[in-house]
């Protein structure tokens, strides 16, 4: 495998402003963002291109106007759909104004109010979809909010981002450099992010420019991109996984486009000639299932097996012909897809290997909001199905108190570790001990340095015999079944024992396409579950299960909220008479 020696091509930026300034200088007229504008009446579609130079200059104008409005050192929230203006607002605040507070666009009113109160946010940028809820919150007066700034519409209740940009440009052209020369402390809190979960459960994570730039440098040293790559943003930008990825793409001069919605992913891939995406397991596993369903429908399984063997033989002679052999599959994904990064949760190894076999480099990364986020990742050089790659070159990791199998809690050191939890020193001291951050994940590191995550410490199920069961391991096997959208393994107590149960969310379309009844699907799952159980030791076997068409309750990165989901499962079991 060719080594591009990426560490010789990049350096660690001091702060985000330096990164954006560097890109504006090196990639001046390259397109940073494409914004689609669709006229609702005429249906006419136009595309607005923003260059790297435009991005940096406009950030300066908006930041200057915010300082004139008295926003210096204030907490400023941003909420809305992924967009250029969302990122512009975020960048302007964090690069010389104050502390940016990205908020989950799916939060309910009481949760939003709680976040605004806890963060002490006095200003908020918001989009049209959040007009009613944000203006109602401001009117109620239960939060510190004083100033509203509309990003993509006009409102009598708010300032307008375009007006602020115009005013900022006037100030800069008149010689005002208050924002452009503002001092940035790379170690101070400039980003305040709420972790996934309900507001009561979430913690507010304090991150610095150094945290994010450390992660950016590690990614640039390991993952291979080119300025000609096109990234489509699918993941929510308020989450550090998606946002950190965006910083990587911007530091390498890539074009970035925005997805119109989950059901338009493949259409948008073709529309924008997308070559790179960041994703989560649920999306990729569904994508892979659809590819294989099409293969089976065409009776092409034998053809695919032959092509895979041919590719394996060719590689022994130094030839990589996968993208040519599987052109029809790649064309289903727009024709240009070459690199997929998976995060937030583990991707099933079968899916990861399958996509790589088709010539689409698919890597698994691992990290947390508290680590800005990347701790380890597979790369173009380091691939091992089931692992989450090797530890980033500027991160130190080890296994704390490993058991006989080498499994213990993964702990790390590095400049990517958060400052701490906001207004919660006790929680901070629990996870950062002697400079080591305790991830809360059980893992092991093999002889080649690959990290394997066994499961969340808080999710582990301890059986009566003392054995540990990681529900994620079993769920991955169940989720591979073509008619399963997702599953969740849980426990119910029995006399002197703990019994493993599973909720299995089936795909309703599968029933229609295969002309099956729910009773027939139950019979099929009985047999499939029997095979899955046979592949595992007795203590990991799922003894009870039920099929459901109700999706699990999820975070915006599509991870199941297990505590909330158990409440829903209890209701389902009662309705089914299984309590």
């Amino acid at each position: 495998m060719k080594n591009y020696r990426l560490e010789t091509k990049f350096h660690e930026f001091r702060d985000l402003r330096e990164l954006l300034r560097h890109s504006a200088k090196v990639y001046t007229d390259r397109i940073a963002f494409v914004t689609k504008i669709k006229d609702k009446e005429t249906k006419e579609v136009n595309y607005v291109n923003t260059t790297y130079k435009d991005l940096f200059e406009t950030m300066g104008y908006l930041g200057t106007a915010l300082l004139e409005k008295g926003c210096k050192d204030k907490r400023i929230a941003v909420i809305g759909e992924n967009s250029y203006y969302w990122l512009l607002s975020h960048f302007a605040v964090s690069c010389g104004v104050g502390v940016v507070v990205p908020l989950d666009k799916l939060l309910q009113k009481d949760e939003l109010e709680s976040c605004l109160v806890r963060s002490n946010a006095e200003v908020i940028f918001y989009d049209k979809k959040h007009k009613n809820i944000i203006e109602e919150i401001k009117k109620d007066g239960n939060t510190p909010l004083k100033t509203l700034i509309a990003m993509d519409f006009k409102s009598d209740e708010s300032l307008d981002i375009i007006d602020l940009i115009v005013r900022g440009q006037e100030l800069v052209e008149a010689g005002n450099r208050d924002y452009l020369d503002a001092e940035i402390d790379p170690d101070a809190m400039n980003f305040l992010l709420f972790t996934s979960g309900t507001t009561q459960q979430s913690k507010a994570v304090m991150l610095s420019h150094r945290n994010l730039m450390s992660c950016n440098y590690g990614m640039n040293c390991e993952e291979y991109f080119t300025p000609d790559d096109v990234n489509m943003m699918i993941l929510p930008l308020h989450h550090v996984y998606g946002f950190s990825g965006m910083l990587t793409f911007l530091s390498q001069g890539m074009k970035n486009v925005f997805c119109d919605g989950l059901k338009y992913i493949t259409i948008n891939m073709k529309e924008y000639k997308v070559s790179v995406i960041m994703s989560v397991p649920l999306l990729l596993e569904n994508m892979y299932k659809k590819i294989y369903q099409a293969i089976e429908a065409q009776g092409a399984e034998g053809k695919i097996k032959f092509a895979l063997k041919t590719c394996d033989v060719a590689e022994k002679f130094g030839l990589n012909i996968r993208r040519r052999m599987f052109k029809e599959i790649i064309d289903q994904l727009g024709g240009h897809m070459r690199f997929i990064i998976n995060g937030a949760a583990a991707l099933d190894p079968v899916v990861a290997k399958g996509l790589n076999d088709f010539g689409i480099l698919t890597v698994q990364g691992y990290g947390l909001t508290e680590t800005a986020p990347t701790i380890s990742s597979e790369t173009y050089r380091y691939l091992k199905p089931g692992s989450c790659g090797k530890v980033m070159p500027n991160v130190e990791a080890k296994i704390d108190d490993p058991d006989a199998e080498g499994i213990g809690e993964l702990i790390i050191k590095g400049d990517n570790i958060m400052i701490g939890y906001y207004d919660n020193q006790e929680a901070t001291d629990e996870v950062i001990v002697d400079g080591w951050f305790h991830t809360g994940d059980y893992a092991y590191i093999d002889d080649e340095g690959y990290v394997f995550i066994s499961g969340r410490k808080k999710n582990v199920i301890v059986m009566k015999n003392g054995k540990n069961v990681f529900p994620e391991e079993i769920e991955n096997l169940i989720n591979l079944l073509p008619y399963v959208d997702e599953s969740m393994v849980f426990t119910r107590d029995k006399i002197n024992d703990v019994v493993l149960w599973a909720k299995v969310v089936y795909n309703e379309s599968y029933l229609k396409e295969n002309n099956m009844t729910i009773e027939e699907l139950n019979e099929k799952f009985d047999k499939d579950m029997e095979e899955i159980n046979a592949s595992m030791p007795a203590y990991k076997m799922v003894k009870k299960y039920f099929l459901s068409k109700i999706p699990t309750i999820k975070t915006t990165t599509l991870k199941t909220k297990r505590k909330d989901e158990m409440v829903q499962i209890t209701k389902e079991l009662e309705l089914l008479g299984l309590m």
Side-chain angles (χ1 to χ4, degrees), residues 292-481:
Y292 251 92
Q293 284 170 2
I295 291 171
E296 290 171 352
Q298 296 167 15
E301 297 99 318
K303 180 181 176 183
I304 293 296
K305 286 181 181 178
F306 178 77
L308 288 171
K309 287 181 180 178
T310 302
C311 290
D312 290 341
V313 171
E315 284 185 353
K316 291 179 180 179
F317 295 94
L319 299 174
N320 188 336
I321 59 173
R322 293 185 185 278
R323 293 185 67 81
R324 197 184 337 162
M325 293 293 285
F326 298 106
K327 183 179 182 300
E328 289 184 18
I329 290 174
I330 294 172
D331 284 346
Q332 290 178 44
L333 302 177
H336 296 81
M337 183 56 57
R338 73 161 196 90
F339 189 14
I340 298 174
I341 301 172
N342 180 74
L347 179 64
D348 188 279
V350 174
V351 175
K353 185 179 185 304
L355 291 170
N356 276 296
D357 283 345
F358 293 151
I360 301 170
L361 176 62
T362 303
V363 303
Q364 173 72 49
Y366 164 73
L368 302 163
T369 301
E370 292 89 337
T371 56
T374 313
I375 292 173
S376 68
S377 182
E378 292 181 297
T379 73
Y380 71 97
R381 288 189 296 161
Y382 303 123
L383 284 172
K384 183 175 280 191
S387 81
C388 49
K390 297 189 178 186
V391 176
M392 289 287 103
N394 52 350
V395 175
E396 185 180 352
K398 65 181 181 180
I399 303 298
D400 187 43
D401 193 23
D403 63 15
E405 297 176 333
I407 298 175
E409 185 177 9
L410 182 66
I411 62 176
I412 72 147
K413 267 187 179 180
D415 284 344
N416 60 326
I417 296 175
M418 67 173 179
I419 299 169
Y421 294 118
Y422 180 64
D423 203 23
N424 196 340
Q425 190 60 46
E426 182 179 353
T428 301
D429 292 340
E430 286 178 4
V431 296
I432 302 178
V433 182
D434 297 328
W436 288 90
F437 175 76
H438 291 244
T439 64
D441 283 309
Y442 282 122
Y444 68 92
I445 302 175
D446 73 8
D447 294 339
E448 294 182 298
Y450 287 91
V451 179
F452 289 81
I453 303 298
S454 301
R456 286 297 288 168
K457 192 175 180 180
K458 64 182 180 181
N459 294 342
V460 68
I461 298 168
V462 182
M463 306 302 285
K464 292 292 185 181
N465 61 3
K467 295 284 190 179
N468 289 339
V469 173
F470 298 101
E472 299 93 337
E473 176 187 358
I474 303 169
E475 290 159 3
N476 283 341
L477 295 173
I478 296 174
N479 294 347
L480 264 185
L481 298 172

Side-chain angles (χ1 to χ4, degrees), residues 193-397:
L193 292 83
F194 289 92
T195 60
S196 299
T198 63
T199 304
Q200 289 72 29
Q201 294 172 325
S202 66
K203 299 183 181 74
V205 175
M206 299 185 289
L207 295 180
S208 67
H209 283 267
R210 190 179 305 281
N211 295 151
L212 290 172
M213 294 305 98
S214 173
C215 179
N216 173 255
Y217 178 62
M219 289 293 287
N220 282 343
C221 287
E222 293 299 322
E223 305 295 1
Y224 178 67
F225 303 99
T226 76
D228 292 324
D229 272 324
V230 178
N231 159 62
M232 181 166 72
M233 210 62 219
I234 300 171
L235 304 177
L237 284 165
H238 78 270
H239 194 283
V240 71
Y241 169 39
F243 182 75
S244 179
M246 177 59 76
L247 298 189
T248 301
F249 306 142
L250 289 174
S251 69
Q252 300 217 23
M254 290 166 55
K255 180 190 292 185
N256 298 277
V257 302
F258 301 100
C259 179
D260 290 338
L262 297 182
K263 63 182 179 180
Y264 300 107
I265 288 178
T266 53
I267 295 173
N268 290 155
M269 283 178 177
K270 184 175 182 179
E271 177 182 9
Y272 294 111
K273 299 182 179 180
V274 174
S275 60
V276 175
I277 61 169
M278 297 178 70
S279 188
V280 292
L282 191 60
L283 295 178
L284 292 183
E285 288 163 8
N286 285 339
M287 182 189 298
Y288 186 73
K289 283 179 184 176
K290 287 178 181 177
I291 289 173
Y292 251 92
Q293 284 170 2
I295 291 171
E296 290 171 352
Q298 296 167 15
E301 297 99 318
K303 180 181 176 183
I304 293 296
K305 286 181 181 178
F306 178 77
L308 288 171
K309 287 181 180 178
T310 302
C311 290
D312 290 341
V313 171
E315 284 185 353
K316 291 179 180 179
F317 295 94
L319 299 174
N320 188 336
I321 59 173
R322 293 185 185 278
R323 293 185 67 81
R324 197 184 337 162
M325 293 293 285
F326 298 106
K327 183 179 182 300
E328 289 184 18
I329 290 174
I330 294 172
D331 284 346
Q332 290 178 44
L333 302 177
H336 296 81
M337 183 56 57
R338 73 161 196 90
F339 189 14
I340 298 174
I341 301 172
N342 180 74
L347 179 64
D348 188 279
V350 174
V351 175
K353 185 179 185 304
L355 291 170
N356 276 296
D357 283 345
F358 293 151
I360 301 170
L361 176 62
T362 303
V363 303
Q364 173 72 49
Y366 164 73
L368 302 163
T369 301
E370 292 89 337
T371 56
T374 313
I375 292 173
S376 68
S377 182
E378 292 181 297
T379 73
Y380 71 97
R381 288 189 296 161
Y382 303 123
L383 284 172
K384 183 175 280 191
S387 81
C388 49
K390 297 189 178 186
V391 176
M392 289 287 103
N394 52 350
V395 175
E396 185 180 352

